């Protein structure tokens, strides 16, 4: 199936997908055949004859999604770039699913058969779209959106478009329904017709042009020399001129290798951090600027992996929660050689998705840590990638977030983003025109003076 992925959104552009999983819990030498519902993820699984079939569910619909083959590892299956691991639970009717690169487990409940909707009449594309959000999107109340009112307003227009085969009009309807959410993890992609995604008002979704512009400014103005780059250019490091402080820039938590798998990216991240945090450098490094201001997201697990190299003590990172499941705490555990001194984290509206979950994972870091700049984008959940029914919509898909990332005291930052502790402008037109980098300067001042 199109397993739930972490994505960033760009207006009128298709978004970049990322997905993955790690393994923990009970071993599953031979996961039993049968049918399973993935609670709170709108999915069902059919395990049989060494294959895993996946289905997208709502109360109205059931659509075959994809087929995964056994990976050779206990309970393991591979679907495209995704690695899935099924493990038995506490009883015969319970199990868990983990997707490589996405922290935490998903709860499986045994079914006696696939839902009857899997053999029933397929509803309209509009009804599947509306129902999917109705059952899964957690933030309607916080955003002041009456989703039932949205249905009443748009359904007749959408059904008429479907009856007339007017796909351009149907796309416009679906776009107009979700545009007020201002959620960068809500996406509608309609094949050749176009795609829609938008971010929080007043922010810019990161892309190659902004990334290059920012990197050039930082190298010219802040560092006075080029970064040493790793991970396909998505990680860069430099010692600050004449000082025992370092600058670490991470523009993505994906795409580190040509394989574009979590396993390969994880190895490459460790290779990069080994090259940065050498014994010699660690012996003289007094502080670090971690720049996540232009970070398009990727794998949350890679963000935790980075955080694990930036502490010498374990601590709570965040807890993941869906509609009915209990929050699953995620922890940062120290790993290999890394830096445990003071860190100034730079963030802004172009800090998106896994860039934000990494920021959240650093908030309770035991060593001195502060956040400088502007609030992050405000999208944390993985994104359920859903299909629409009908052969005419075979290349259409839409994205729906369904998770909340909680702090230790139960707060979330969806919508508004994680606020900075020290506010500074971040890559405004004025900053570029006047060759300023106020957030970097504030970070260096904080590290050198403690204020």
């Amino acid at each position: 199936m199109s397993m739930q992925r972490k994505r960033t959104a760009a207006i009128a552009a298709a978004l970049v997908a990322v997905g993955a999983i790690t393994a923990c819990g009970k071993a599953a030498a031979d996961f039993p055949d049968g049918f399973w519902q993935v609670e709170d993820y709108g999915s069902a699984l059919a395990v049989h004859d060494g294959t895993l079939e996946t289905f997208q569910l709502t109360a109205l619909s059931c659509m075959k999604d994809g087929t995964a083959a056994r990976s050779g590892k206990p309970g393991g299956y591979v679907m495209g770039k995704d690695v899935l691991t099924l493990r038995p639970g506490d009883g015969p009717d319970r199990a868990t699913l983990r997707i490589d690169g996405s922290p935490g487990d998903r709860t499986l409940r045994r079914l006696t058969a696939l839902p009857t909707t899997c053999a029933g009449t397929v509803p309209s594309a509009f009804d599947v779209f509306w129902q999917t959000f109705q059952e899964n999107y957690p933030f309607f109340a916080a955003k002041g959106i009456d989703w039932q009112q949205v249905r009443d307003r748009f359904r007749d227009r959408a059904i008429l478009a479907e009856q007339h085969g007017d796909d351009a009009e149907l796309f416009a309807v679906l776009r107009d329904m979700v545009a007020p959410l201002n959620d960068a993890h809500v996406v509608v992609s309609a094949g050749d017709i176009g795609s829609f995604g938008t971010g929080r008002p007043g922010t810019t979704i990161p892309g190659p042009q902004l990334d290059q512009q920012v990197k050039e400014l930082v190298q010219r103005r802040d560092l006075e020399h080029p970064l040493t780059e790793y991970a396909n250019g998505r990680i860069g490091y430099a010692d600050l001129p004449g000082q025992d402080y370092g600058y670490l820039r991470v523009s993505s938590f994906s795409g580190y290798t040509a394989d574009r798998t979590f396993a390969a990216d994880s190895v490459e991240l460790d290779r990069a951090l080994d090259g940065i945090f050498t014994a010699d450098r660690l012996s003289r490094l007094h502080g670090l600027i971690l720049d996540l201001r232009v970070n398009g997201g990727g794998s949350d697990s890679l963000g935790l992996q980075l955080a694990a190299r930036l502490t010498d003590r374990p601590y709570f990172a965040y807890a993941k929660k869906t509609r009915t499941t209990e929050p699953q705490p995620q922890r940062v555990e120290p790993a290999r050689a890394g830096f445990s001194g003071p860190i100034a984290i730079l963030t802004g509206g172009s800090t998106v998705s896994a860039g934000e979950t990494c920021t959240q994972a650093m908030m309770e870091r035991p060593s001195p840590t502060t956040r400088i700049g502007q609030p992050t984008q405000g999208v944390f959940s993985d994104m359920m990638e859903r299909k629409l029914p009908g052969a005419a919509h075979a290349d259409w898909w839409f994205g729906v977030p369904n998770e909340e990332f909680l702090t230790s005291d139960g707060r979330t930052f969806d919508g508004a983003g994680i606020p900075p502790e020290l506010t500074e402008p971040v890559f405004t037109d004025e900053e570029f025109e006047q060759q300023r980098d106020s957030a970097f300067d504030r970070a260096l001042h904080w590290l050198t003076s403690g204020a």
Side-chain angles (χ1 to χ4, degrees), residues 119-351:
T121 303
V122 178
S124 69
F126 173 89
D127 286 334
V128 170
F129 184 85
W130 185 88
Q131 189 71 27
T132 302
F133 277 89
Q134 170 70 7
E135 294 179 9
N136 296 286
Y137 190 70
F139 310 118
F140 287 126
K143 293 174 180 287
I145 302 294
D146 185 333
W147 194 237
Q148 181 63 49
Q149 188 177 75
V150 170
R151 183 182 190 276
D152 296 342
R153 176 184 173 191
F154 286 101
R155 189 173 190 276
D156 288 348
R157 179 181 159 195
I159 296 300
L160 189 63
E162 291 189 60
Q163 290 173 346
H164 291 169
D166 189 345
D167 286 343
E169 171 66 1
L170 178 60
F171 168 66
V173 171
L174 303 183
R175 176 199 65 205
D176 293 349
M177 290 171 66
V178 298
L181 297 174
N182 293 316
D183 190 321
H185 275 171
V186 171
V187 182
V188 182
S189 180
D192 293 338
I193 294 173
S195 61
F196 171 79
T198 188
R200 178 165 55 81
T203 65
T204 301
I205 297 298
Q209 183 175 350
L210 177 62
D211 183 68
Q212 185 62 31
Q213 184 182 16
V214 166
K215 184 163 63 174
E216 290 175 359
L217 173 67
V218 167
Q219 291 181 140
R220 180 177 62 250
R221 192 264 184 195
D222 300 331
L223 306 178
E224 301 175 11
H225 56 82
L227 290 156
T228 299
E229 294 192 316
Y230 306 84
N232 200 22
R234 303 192 178 194
I235 297 173
Y237 179 84
D239 292 317
L240 298 187
Q243 302 185 64
D244 292 329
Y245 297 93
Y247 171 84
L248 175 60
R249 182 173 188 264
V250 182
S251 64
S252 177
F253 287 104
S254 68
Y256 293 168
T257 64
D259 287 350
R260 300 189 70 86
T261 64
F262 170 73
D265 284 357
S266 176
V267 170
E268 180 63 16
L269 176 58
D270 269 337
R271 190 189 75 81
L273 297 177
D274 287 344
I276 294 167
F277 296 126
T278 62
D280 174 67
R281 179 169 284 125
L282 289 174
S283 69
R284 54 184 168 78
L285 197 62
H286 292 164
L288 182 70
I289 297 174
L290 173 60
D291 194 347
L292 302 177
R293 286 176 294 180
V294 180
N295 185 295
S299 166
D300 295 325
S301 293
L302 293 181
L304 291 175
Q305 188 173 329
L306 171 60
R309 300 291 290 269
L310 300 175
T311 184
D312 58 0
R313 286 170 282 172
Y315 66 92
F316 171 90
Y318 47 72
K320 290 179 66 172
K321 184 186 184 307
T322 58
R323 189 172 65 256
T324 65
T325 60
E326 290 296 315
Q328 291 188 49
Q330 308 299 318
R331 293 183 61 78
V332 174
E333 301 288 344
R336 296 162 74 157
F339 179 70
S340 59
I343 296 180
I345 306 173
L346 306 185
T347 69
S350 298
T351 308

